[in-house]
Amino acid sequence: MKTLIDSGHALQRGLLAIRREFAVPDGFPPQVEAAAAAAAQRAPTEHVDRTAMRFVTLDPATSTDLDQAFAIERSGHDMLLHYAIADVAWFVADGDPVDVEAWKRGTTLYLPDGKAGLYPPVLAEEAASLLPDGPRPAVIFTVRVAPDGAVKLDGAERAIIRSGAKLAYDSVRDTDLPDGFAELSARVQAAEARRGASRVDPPEQEVSALPDGGFDLRFAPRLESEARNAALSLATNMAVADLLLAHQTGLFRVMAAPDDHAVARLRITAAALGIDWAADVPLDAIERRLDGHDPKQAAFMTAIRRNGGGASYAPYRDGVVPWHAAMAATYAHATAPLRRLADRYVIRATLAIASGQPVPEAVTAAFETLPTVMARADAIGGRIDRAVIDLAEAVMLAGSVGETFAAVVTDVEARAARIQLCDEPVVARVAATGVVPGERIDVVLRAADAEKRVLTFERG
């Protein structure tokens, strides 16, 4: 972690500039706020009472838009994951002002100085959020997890739940969690390994607000609690996807595997990094052995991500099995409706099927148009994330122009190299030839322009 010294307030100015550049919404129109406030008062009338079950949430400590809560029980050798999801559709009707605004946004946008929500805070951080301050309406997906990690959706229902605790990734203890949490996660993760899933989670640059009003920039590896929690979401999303596919409807998350040319490039990269990758070992097998805490292995994880096909959304098509190569499974997004527009419609379709009802026409129509909306929102979010990191790097190194830094080459381009500084959480490019991934080089910082969000290095 590196605390940013920003005595000239360049970071605050830069964040404002990013908001203007990408037209990040500042609040909601009055008619949307009014409609959300009215919707927040809607009493749940189609929900069964599940307040006797002990649910908890597990999220970043500062999160208030809580999409998921979970409870776990055993059923013979199987385990039942009761995954409660915020019932956004209870508060948001097709075509109302809140819905129309959500379609314009697509996703919640996160910046260090505050987020631009998909829904107004009165819903996203109060009435619909699964906070532990009272009963909330939710949709409970009951997922049966077999000893081998196979998953099946046993049912879906609207319910009233009460979260018993708001747990945080960086402070949660095993005793805080439902019995069986670690075992259930391990089952799901073991099943991933057996089917050849190739998800990689390299440490990522992250700019975070500090309690004193400052900011820090760091490479943030995934905590074990995050990985285990992600397994619960993965199990639910896979079970939902299987149900939708069986009923010939749905919106799926799809991703192509790296092609032969990309794999060949990755083998060269692995050799340069000193990573042992036997010729008869497939890519997914080597991925499962990587440790993001090791700099060279983290660099290889980043190379894998850059060489893989990007994920996108696709509606159901007759005769087509939607496939997510990194998951090695059919997969859908259903567990973050407060933050992703598409999830609300996947949940509605799943509820209809589970109750023996036809999928609403409005949902089926949405599946056709959502891929474009979500692709645009994801692209904007990615560009904002990169702009924020570039800004933070430039602010952090503004006083270091002329200094020499040790760096590791992480990737090689035509006449340049992508580098990661050894002692600072900075990724950049430098003009260089004749270098290979994993090689250590010295670079000199020649310019740090916070206004343009640009660092300029040259070989030392």
Side-chain angles (χ1 to χ4, degrees), residues 308-329:
S312 60
Y313 289 89
Y316 172 80
R317 292 287 183 262
D318 288 340
V320 176
V321 176
W323 197 249
H324 195 295
M327 305 295 181

Side-chain angles (χ1 to χ4, degrees), residues 268-346:
I268 294 171
T269 301
L273 289 169
I275 295 173
D276 184 20
W277 184 2
D280 59 344
V281 174
L283 176 61
D284 56 20
I286 195 70
E287 286 173 310
R288 292 194 294 273
R289 301 207 306 259
L290 296 175
D291 179 2
H293 293 87
D294 178 273
K296 290 192 174 184
Q297 294 185 53
F300 188 52
M301 293 167 79
T302 301
I304 293 171
R305 177 169 288 184
R306 294 187 67 214
N307 279 275
S312 60
Y313 289 89
Y316 172 80
R317 292 287 183 262
D318 288 340
V320 176
V321 176
W323 197 249
H324 195 295
M327 305 295 181
T330 298
Y331 184 70
H333 273 166
T335 56
L338 290 174
R339 290 170 278 174
R340 290 188 301 246
L341 174 65
D343 295 41
R344 171 156 55 101
Y345 293 89
V346 173

Side-chain angles (χ1 to χ4, degrees), residues 18 164 208 283 288 327 359 413:
I18 289 170
S208 302
L283 176 61
R288 292 194 294 273
M327 305 295 181
V359 176
E413 301 170 355

Side-chain angles (χ1 to χ4, degrees), residues 123-192:
L123 293 178
E125 300 177 53
E126 296 179 33
S129 179
L130 302 182
L131 293 161
D133 58 357
R136 292 288 195 280
V139 174
I140 299 178
F141 294 127
T142 297
V143 181
R144 182 174 293 273
V145 183
D148 65 356
V151 298
K152 177 180 178 295
L153 192 68
D154 269 11
E157 63 178 4
R158 279 189 150 132
I160 301 298
I161 73 157
R162 185 188 298 274
S163 173
K166 180 180 182 293
L167 306 176
Y169 290 136
D170 59 0
S171 62
V172 66
R173 301 167 300 179
D174 288 345
T175 53
D176 299 328
L177 293 157
D179 178 57
F181 173 77
E183 180 184 347
L184 191 151
S185 298
R187 289 185 181 191
V188 175
Q189 291 167 343
E192 280 192 89

